[in-house]
Amino acid sequence: VPDTTLTDTTGLFTEAAAHYVRGRAGYPSGFIETLVSRFGLADGGRVIDVGCGPGLLALPLARAGASVLGIDPNGPMLEAGRAAAADSGVPVTFSKRPAEALTAADGPARLVTFGRSFHWTDRPRVLSLLDGIVEPGGGIAIVHEDREQRRTTPTGMVIEAMKRDWVTDDLPSRNRDGDAALLSGSAFGLVERSTATMPRTWTADEVLGHLLSTSYFNPGRLGDRREAFEADLRGRLRAVRADGVFEETLGFVMLIATRKD
Ligand SMILES: C[S@@+](CC[C@H](N)C(=O)[O-])C[C@H]1O[C@@H](n2cnc3c(N)ncnc32)[C@H](O)[C@@H]1O
């Protein structure tokens, strides 16, 4: 079954990029360590980070010794990655294109990573492209927040309520369901799921910054509703915690799918 064709997914992040670096949490360091040891990346093993944005996977993997190509079709998101790599002196190569434009010439890769990005792609098509790119013994890693857990945190509950009340129905749907089943049917059939948590203390400003970094509420989508949106969000957050400080635990999920042959 083909995935829904996502129209204009790349543009969704243009207005989000400015808020992304401050608004999004990085990933648990244990995930990075697992990937580095599991795929033997410390000696310059080649990684392609798809939908790399500001490089929340690309940079720590490169810092651990991997040789990383980050791709993203969105100019401002890719530039955020380039700037972050330059600032921290980590060598990462960047290329502006979507996952669907990867070719065999981009390989061989030991690992292809997707940080909060697999759901934006035409997954079956991308998996079959990766069959020609990932070397024997190599694999794919799909990393994102634990969305169920997120909804149970105080800020997560407010965010869900904001989505319910503020998101109009013209947002492209994501291809979120059934990652594990899709992988099982692909060349990358050996699937393991792991979870990890990280503490995060948010202020109301940071929750706002986070929402402005998302495809739901980036400034481009809010347009002239932004002021009212901010006032509504701040009121709801104050009703939960008058001091506006939220100490939470964030859950993350990583699927690792290794080549069958
Ligand atoms: C939520 S951001 C994730 C950024 C970063 N990888 C992270 O872990 O936070 C999703 C990224 O996917 C990119 N994207 C959208 N459609 C894509 C596609 N078809 N192929 C590759 N990346 C895509 C967007 O431009 C955006 O930078």
Side-chain angles (χ1 to χ4, degrees):
V1 185
D3 267 344
T4 324
T5 302
L6 301 176
T7 51
D8 193 28
T9 59
T10 58
L12 279 174
F13 285 95
T14 297
E15 301 265 354
H19 297 276
Y20 205 94
V21 179
R22 275 170 297 130
R24 295 289 183 119
Y27 297 108
S29 55
F31 280 1
I32 304 295
E33 285 153 22
T34 300
L35 293 175
V36 170
S37 68
R38 175 62 186 281
F39 292 100
L41 301 175
D43 63 349
R46 187 166 159 75
V47 175
I48 304 176
D49 184 30
V50 178
C52 63
L56 298 180
L57 285 175
L59 266 64
L61 287 170
R63 218 173 268 126
S67 156
V68 183
L69 166 67
I71 70 161
D72 200 300
N74 182 273
M77 289 296 272
L78 193 73
E79 287 316 311
R82 224 187 276 280
D87 282 353
S88 53
V90 182
V92 174
T93 307
F94 293 95
S95 168
K96 183 171 182 291
R97 60 210 150 106
E100 295 79 0
L102 282 167
T103 71
D106 292 306
R110 215 172 278 174
L111 175 67
V112 177
T113 53
F114 296 83
R116 307 180 176 113
S117 61
F118 194 48
H119 57 284
W120 291 117
T121 71
D122 180 345
R123 296 171 304 170
R125 186 163 149 221
V126 169
L127 287 176
S128 91
L129 285 173
L130 293 182
D131 187 16
I133 292 175
V134 175
E135 66 189 31
I140 303 178
I142 297 167
V143 189
H144 50 75
E145 268 89 7
D146 180 338
R147 296 180 199 104
E148 298 304 316
Q149 186 265 357
R150 182 84 188 94
R151 284 189 200 110
T152 66
T153 62
T155 59
M157 286 192 262
V158 170
I159 291 169
E160 285 307 305
M162 292 299 282
K163 284 184 188 161
R164 212 175 39 238
D165 296 343
W166 282 85
V167 174
T168 47
D169 60 2
D170 61 349
L171 192 69
S173 60
R174 296 135 177 81
N175 297 316
R176 272 206 167 131
D177 296 330
D179 280 355
L182 263 179
L183 288 165
S184 304
S186 77
F188 307 92
L190 307 174
V191 184
E192 298 151 55
R193 183 178 191 274
S194 48
T195 58
T197 59
M198 275 191 341
R200 176 153 186 184
T201 302
W202 306 76
T203 61
D205 281 345
E206 285 168 336
V207 176
L208 172 64
H210 170 75
L211 289 185
L212 296 176
S213 84
T214 65
S215 57
Y216 296 96
F217 298 122
N218 64 73
R221 275 182 54 82
L222 286 173
D224 59 10
R225 301 180 304 157
R226 178 164 168 183
E227 208 174 306
F229 173 84
E230 288 195 23
D232 187 17
L233 175 69
R234 287 184 190 283
R236 292 187 203 216
L237 290 171
R238 251 191 325 268
V240 180
R241 294 255 352 173
D243 65 0
V245 180
F246 298 84
E247 284 177 28
E248 297 183 335
T249 299
L250 298 188
F252 292 85
V253 176
M254 177 163 72
L255 286 180
I256 296 182
T258 313
R259 281 198 81 97
K260 288 173 186 161
D261 50 32

